[in-house]
Amino acid sequence: MKLFEKIPASFFSVLASPNREIYWAALATLHQLLECDLNIPVDDYCVALGDKLSDLELSAEDSMDEEEKDLIRRPNGKARWIVHRLKRAGWLDTEYRDGTFEEVIAPRDYADQMIRLLLELERSETKEYNSLVFSTYSGLKQAYVEKSDRMYEALLTARRNTAKLLQDLKSLYHNIRYYHQIVGQAVDVNQLLHDYYDEYKGMLDRIYHPIKTMDSLSHYRQPILDILSALLVDDEIMERAVGRMVQLHPDEEPAQARRTLESYIQELLSSYSSVEEILRQIDRKHRAYTRESVDSIKYRMSADHSIAGKLTELLRAASETAPKQLREAMLARMQEGVQCENQAFADAGSFWHPTVRSRRAGAPDRIVQDLSPEEERELRQTFRADRSRRYSVARAWQYLAHMLEGKETVTSEELALEKDDQFIWLLMAAVRSTDRSAPFSVEFLPGETENGGYRIPRMRISRKNHDRTEEGT
């Protein structure tokens, strides 16, 4: 069915009329009421409209006759006219509740979808990019591990989530491009600042920063690709998925069903392989827009297009290019006509001088000696052995034992982190704390803390009941 065979020709007329703000508020109110109740009586809807639209003035439209113009002047006539207007445009219907004379609202299905879309645009809700990726991974992972015939449903869900993810990322890219295009259309610095800090930065906080700071997209992308690649060669689970598809679609032949599932998998593989390139394009467009905005703001703030500004530029150019005698003559003539004096100022570069590299006098030259392969190999082995002894697991346990001397528990704020070795030992101990033979347990607490110049997670380190110390390198 074609679009305008499903919706009336006058469907969008309410959003193009002079009273579009009122009609939109009425539609948003209807959506809010339907979220709370299944059936909304027309009288209750009119009461809600009267409270919601009491401060908005409904103006007469060209399509109104005299009777309708008189109706909107009555106390409850405005709400009744809105219901009538929305019915005529095809946004809703009314019907009588079974066995009663109570009239209730019956919204059209396509109208409900349009209201949801317009509300999403109005609210500028945050896109859940990472939940789309995680739900795709979890569904595929569970179906694959369990060898479930529900892999067919998992693939369908993965296709929907991936299509939504790519659609949202492309929409973000085109939004950034729009802001990039309007940089040159800004009338002044205030407009540039408003576009960047009020509009564009809000979009960054809602969409761009979650993509760059939450790691589920980068974390789960490769595991998803691994599962999809494994599916193509796993005949057992593919046969179960084909059987499930044939069960739900009896008209589908098994051979055709398998080809369809394989095309789904190839489509997902291609989509997740292209995500990184889309993100790179977004980063590139973001940097280009930021750079051009900053350059435009700097230029507009430094450029003075008034007569005084142009005169300043002429005098500055003359002082830089004219010969010394001509500059002195110009200054003398100016001093005769106006009260002017030479001015100078000190800035951050006034007392700067370049670093002069010098060579220590009398220092003997050191000759670079070539080592034989055996000497080079021995030197490398000595270096590795020294690193292994210095940063072994045993040294990490000794460090924690020293910190817990006479205590059962110590927090990250109480640790001594005075040098790099202690910081590295703490990292090694935290990583190996889950080993069975680890003599200490590490419990991570919310937040971070700074200790000895190092920023580390807040943690609580406790002594275990056994005294075994893991040996390792």
Side-chain angles (χ1 to χ4, degrees):
M1 181 181 293
K2 295 181 179 180
L3 175 63
F4 291 102
E5 292 177 357
K6 185 173 185 180
I7 65 175
S10 59
F11 181 73
F12 295 103
S13 61
V14 296
L15 300 179
S17 72
N19 296 308
R20 56 182 175 272
E21 294 287 346
I22 294 178
Y23 293 136
W24 169 237
L27 292 171
T29 302
L30 175 62
H31 177 77
Q32 183 179 4
L33 292 175
L34 287 173
E35 285 186 333
C36 302
D37 202 349
L38 181 62
N39 293 307
I40 308 298
V42 174
D43 293 338
D44 293 349
Y45 181 51
C46 290
V47 172
L49 287 182
D51 296 338
K52 183 77 172 180
L53 309 177
S54 58
D55 296 333
L56 297 177
E57 185 65 27
L58 181 66
S59 59
E61 299 178 5
D62 296 337
S63 59
M64 292 182 180
D65 55 27
E66 291 300 326
E67 183 178 351
E68 292 171 338
K69 292 179 181 179
D70 181 64
L71 176 64
I72 64 175
R73 299 188 188 99
R74 300 175 187 174
N76 297 326
K78 184 165 64 173
R80 291 289 175 179
W81 161 256
I82 291 173
V83 174
H84 171 71
R85 184 72 175 86
L86 293 177
K87 285 180 59 177
R88 192 170 67 186
W91 285 85
L92 55 86
D93 290 320
T94 59
E95 62 182 11
Y96 290 99
R97 197 190 296 266
D98 293 341
T100 68
F101 293 100
E102 185 180 32
E103 196 176 15
V104 296
I105 300 291
R108 305 280 183 90
D109 58 342
Y110 55 81
D112 183 64
Q113 296 178 38
M114 180 60 67
I115 294 173
R116 292 176 185 273
L117 172 62
L118 296 175
L119 282 172
E120 182 179 347
L121 292 175
E122 183 181 55
R123 295 169 181 171
S124 299
E125 296 177 348
T126 303
K127 305 294 185 181
E128 295 294 340
Y129 299 95
N130 296 281
S131 64
L132 293 174
V133 180
F134 176 74
S135 60
T136 298
Y137 167 75
S138 59
L140 292 174
K141 179 69 173 179
Q142 182 177 1
Y144 183 75
V145 171
E146 297 176 357
K147 302 292 183 181
S148 171
D149 56 358
R150 298 287 181 176
M151 177 57 74
Y152 172 66
E153 285 86 346
L155 286 173
L156 292 181
T157 303
R159 288 187 73 219
R160 287 194 297 268
N161 289 342
T162 304
K164 183 69 166 58
L165 172 68
L166 294 178
Q167 175 187 350
D168 289 341
L169 289 176
K170 291 176 182 178
S171 176
L172 171 62
Y173 172 80
H174 292 302
N175 280 335
I176 298 177
R177 185 172 64 178
Y178 163 74
Y179 283 102
H180 194 183
Q181 289 175 344
I182 64 175
V183 169
Q185 303 173 10
V187 294
D188 54 17
V189 174
N190 290 333
Q191 182 64 43
L192 286 168
L193 293 174
H194 170 76
D195 290 342
Y196 188 87
Y197 287 102
D198 295 340
E199 301 292 339
Y200 181 72
K201 189 175 182 300
M203 184 182 69
L204 291 185
D205 294 339
R206 294 193 311 271
I207 302 176
Y208 182 77
H209 288 161
I211 295 176
K212 305 304 292 185
T213 57
M214 299 180 186
D215 65 346
S216 68
L217 183 56
S218 59
H219 182 72
Y220 294 111
R221 173 180 167 274
Q222 190 58 47
I224 289 174
L225 292 175
D226 294 340
I227 294 174
L228 293 172
S229 300
L231 281 177
L232 291 175
V233 297
D234 194 325
D235 292 333
E236 178 184 355
I237 193 170
M238 283 295 291
E239 289 299 327
R240 293 187 178 184
V242 169
R244 178 64 175 173
M245 184 176 179
V246 173
Q247 179 184 358
L248 296 176
H249 304 281
D251 297 337
E252 195 83 25
E253 294 292 334
Q256 180 62 34
R258 186 180 181 96
R259 287 194 295 269
T260 302
L261 291 179
E262 289 176 349
S263 69
Y264 289 170
I265 295 173
Q266 292 292 350
E267 177 186 337
L268 289 169
L269 286 169
S270 176
S271 297
Y272 274 96
S273 298
S274 65
V275 166
E276 289 295 328
E277 178 59 27
I278 295 177
L279 289 179
R280 279 194 292 270
Q281 294 288 344
I282 291 174
D283 289 339
R284 193 176 301 117
K285 185 62 68 174
H286 165 64
R287 290 192 296 268
Y289 168 67
T290 302
R291 182 172 57 252
E292 187 166 339
S293 294
V294 172
D295 291 343
S296 183
I297 290 173
K298 287 181 177 179
Y299 169 75
R300 291 173 183 265
M301 292 183 66
S302 61
D304 189 350
H305 302 288
S306 63
I307 298 299
K310 297 181 184 302
L311 181 59
T312 302
E313 290 296 326
L314 289 174
L315 294 175
R316 181 182 295 112
S319 66
E320 293 174 353
T321 60
K324 182 177 180 181
Q325 293 181 351
L326 180 57
R327 291 200 303 268
E328 294 177 350
M330 289 174 58
L331 182 58
R333 294 294 299 273
M334 290 175 62
Q335 289 176 339
E336 293 176 2
V338 294
Q339 185 72 26
C340 59
E341 299 176 355
N342 288 328
Q343 292 185 354
F345 62 91
D347 59 11
S350 299
F351 305 102
W352 176 86
H353 61 85
T355 302
V356 178
R357 298 185 178 274
S358 60
R359 183 178 179 182
R360 183 181 301 175
D365 294 333
R366 300 183 63 182
I367 301 176
V368 178
Q369 298 180 350
D370 294 331
L371 299 178
S372 64
E374 292 77 12
E375 292 174 333
E376 186 176 352
R377 189 181 306 108
E378 182 181 357
L379 183 62
R380 289 178 179 176
Q381 292 175 353
T382 303
F383 177 78
R384 292 195 187 100
D386 179 67
R387 295 296 93 185
S388 299
R389 288 192 299 270
R390 186 171 182 177
Y391 299 120
S392 64
V393 177
R395 293 292 296 273
W397 296 144
Q398 292 173 6
Y399 167 69
L400 288 188
H402 178 67
M403 293 294 100
L404 283 163
E405 187 173 358
K407 303 178 183 178
E408 291 296 325
T409 302
V410 66
T411 63
S412 50
E413 291 82 2
E414 299 172 338
L415 296 172
L417 294 178
E418 300 173 353
K419 54 184 180 179
D420 294 341
D421 291 352
Q422 295 173 332
F423 177 67
I424 295 175
W425 291 333
L426 176 61
L427 291 180
M428 295 178 63
V431 171
R432 301 295 294 271
S433 63
T434 57
D435 294 352
R436 290 188 176 182
S437 59
F440 309 103
S441 63
V442 178
E443 177 186 2
F444 289 93
L445 305 175
E448 297 180 342
T449 185
E450 188 168 340
N451 187 338
Y454 300 95
R455 180 168 291 278
I456 59 175
R458 294 186 64 251
M459 59 187 103
R460 182 186 296 112
I461 303 171
S462 304
R463 193 188 303 274
K464 288 187 178 179
N465 294 330
H466 59 79
D467 295 329
R468 293 176 298 172
T469 301
E470 181 179 353
E471 300 293 337
T473 59

